[in-house]
Amino acid sequence: MFGNHGQLFRLSVFRSADTAQQFLRQCYQQLQRDDAVQRSYANCYPFLYYLEHGQNFYAAAQQAPLSIKPVLLFYGMVQLLKACLLTVDPDYPESTSVLAHGVSARKRKKQGYEFLDDEVKIQKNGLFAHFSEKMFHVKQEAGEKFRMGTLLQRISELHETFFLLSGRKKPLSLPVVHTASPPMLAIPKVILDHYHMSLSRFVQYLCEEGQGKRLSFAKEEGEFLYFHIESPLSPAGEGPFLFHLDGTLRIPVKKEKTFSLPEIHAHYLLLYNLSMISRYETEWWSELLHSYPSKAYTFILEFLSVSAEKVPLLLHEYLMRKFLG
């Protein structure tokens, strides 16, 4: 589903100013900007610099000790997001209000603090709300809170760990079979029981509310529901499907808002909070890394490993879809 599994930075397609300028001009013309040529020239070097700066952060994160990894991964992601924003917002940054992180972390209690129960709160302005709306057309509500344990569930690579460590009797997601010829998805029919939906309601939910015109219902056969893929599914887009690094596809068994958000949102919020903890909660962070007091350590360690590889792939997919039209 991810196509080429090479890192974004190993591809040479965006390495020249000429290619970047033509790419941005194409993006701005699709936005019907009268100044598409001028803005593409003005933004081609910032676009390249954001990508290069992101590369440097990710390269440093590979060699860095675990204690500072969240900081490097978060700011590497921020740089890549800025490059992506330049494809949909020719005037970025139009004001200083979009430069802030757009998220706040609550004050932590020294006693009894549990990372999985910790929350971050969305701010009215800032990078989070800006890229949500511009890149994914998702309007964020100021003041909304997201719990760390819930956000971690948005990352499909962690589902096995949740199953093993949380005492769950059922998995968080079900495998979806993807066939290339003809392009179809086969979804386990048991999903209807999990969602408490009739077949007709599930088809409406998936084809109209979830993936729009990307899917159409084909048939019900055996233990599966089959859907035609009318246009390629985007790993960087909205749910309800979960894209795995191994190229497989899954569908969550819970119909919750977190699973309908683009996965990029979960990575951003988790990395933001972990980077804040790394910088400002040094005592708790060091104790976690050296004494392994809770299962949070396992989730954090696995998440950082996945995020280091997956975020560049998700954003590479986002850029390449625009590049290829």
Side-chain angles (χ1 to χ4, degrees), residues 45-57:
Y45 280 105
F47 176 79
L48 291 171
Y49 295 154
Y50 286 143
L51 291 181
E52 181 183 14
H53 209 36
Q55 174 186 11
N56 292 336
F57 273 114

Side-chain angles (χ1 to χ4, degrees), residues 174-179 184-188 224-227 229 249:
L174 300 173
V176 175
V177 179
H178 173 251
T179 61
M184 295 183 74
L185 296 181
I187 301 174
F224 293 92
L225 305 173
Y226 292 86
F227 291 82
I229 302 176
L249 197 62

Side-chain angles (χ1 to χ4, degrees), residues 62-94:
Q62 286 183 339
Q63 307 299 324
L66 180 60
S67 60
I68 61 171
K69 239 181 232 293
V71 179
L72 297 171
L73 292 177
F74 177 68
Y75 284 106
M77 181 180 189
V78 165
Q79 296 303 311
L80 299 189
L81 283 169
K82 289 179 179 180
C84 292
L85 273 170
L86 283 180
T87 68
V88 292
D89 183 4
D91 302 312
Y92 177 82
E94 194 169 9

Side-chain angles (χ1 to χ4, degrees), residues 37-325:
V37 175
Q38 298 95 308
R39 293 309 303 167
S40 65
Y41 275 109
N43 288 337
C44 70
Y45 280 105
F47 176 79
L48 291 171
Y49 295 154
Y50 286 143
L51 291 181
E52 181 183 14
H53 209 36
Q55 174 186 11
N56 292 336
F57 273 114
Y58 275 94
Q62 286 183 339
Q63 307 299 324
L66 180 60
S67 60
I68 61 171
K69 239 181 232 293
V71 179
L72 297 171
L73 292 177
F74 177 68
Y75 284 106
M77 181 180 189
V78 165
Q79 296 303 311
L80 299 189
L81 283 169
K82 289 179 179 180
C84 292
L85 273 170
L86 283 180
T87 68
V88 292
D89 183 4
D91 302 312
Y92 177 82
E94 194 169 9
S95 68
T96 55
S97 67
V98 301
L99 296 176
H101 296 140
V103 190
S104 63
R106 68 182 183 183
K107 292 182 179 179
R108 295 176 179 81
K109 296 180 180 179
K110 296 298 181 182
Q111 298 296 324
Y113 169 71
E114 289 289 343
F115 174 77
L116 297 179
D117 293 326
D118 196 8
E119 294 176 327
V120 291
K121 185 167 69 173
I122 308 306
Q123 302 297 309
K124 181 179 180 180
N125 298 310
L127 180 61
F128 184 73
H130 195 65
F131 84 72
S132 296
E133 185 170 358
K134 292 292 185 179
M135 291 172 58
F136 301 106
H137 312 292
V138 176
K139 188 74 173 178
Q140 296 296 334
E141 296 182 18
E144 185 173 8
K145 295 179 180 180
F146 288 91
R147 180 176 165 271
M148 297 297 101
T150 304
L151 290 170
L152 286 168
Q153 291 182 22
R154 182 62 180 84
I155 316 297
S156 63
E157 289 81 2
L158 303 185
H159 284 190
E160 183 177 355
T161 303
F162 269 103
F163 184 75
L164 294 173
L165 297 186
S166 65
R168 292 180 57 87
K169 296 181 179 179
K170 296 180 181 179
L172 282 170
S173 58
L174 300 173
V176 175
V177 179
H178 173 251
T179 61
S181 183
M184 295 183 74
L185 296 181
I187 301 174
K189 193 162 56 176
V190 71
I191 195 66
L192 300 179
D193 297 329
H194 288 292
Y195 284 15
H196 305 291
M197 288 182 178
S198 65
L199 174 57
S200 60
R201 176 66 188 97
F202 180 71
V203 170
Q204 180 186 23
Y205 162 73
L206 197 63
C207 299
E208 296 178 17
E209 301 172 22
Q211 288 291 337
K213 297 179 179 179
R214 296 182 185 275
L215 298 175
S216 63
F217 182 63
K219 61 182 177 179
E220 176 184 356
E221 186 176 284
E223 297 301 314
F224 293 92
L225 305 173
Y226 292 86
F227 291 82
H228 292 294
I229 302 176
E230 306 294 347
S231 61
L233 304 177
S234 171
E238 293 184 52
F241 297 116
L242 310 175
F243 292 81
H244 201 284
L245 277 170
D246 64 9
T248 60
L249 197 62
R250 304 186 70 86
I251 187 167
V253 298
K254 295 192 292 185
K255 183 177 172 290
E256 296 181 355
K257 181 179 180 180
T258 305
F259 289 112
S260 67
L261 286 174
E263 186 177 339
I264 284 294
H265 288 62
H267 286 270
Y268 185 93
L269 296 174
L270 285 161
L271 287 174
Y272 166 79
N273 200 24
L274 285 170
S275 70
M276 292 292 285
I277 292 171
S278 173
R279 284 179 288 169
Y280 301 116
E281 296 290 334
T282 308
E283 183 179 354
W284 182 88
W285 183 237
S286 297
E287 287 180 0
L288 176 78
L289 300 184
H290 293 102
S291 61
Y292 323 115
S294 72
K295 62 184 178 183
Y297 174 82
T298 303
F299 285 108
I300 291 171
L301 195 67
E302 191 169 349
F303 165 71
L304 291 174
S305 176
V306 169
S307 189
E309 184 177 357
K310 200 170 187 182
V311 167
L313 284 172
L314 288 169
L315 295 180
H316 161 253
E317 187 80 14
Y318 180 88
L319 288 175
M320 287 307 296
R321 283 179 182 273
K322 287 185 168 294
F323 185 78
L324 298 173

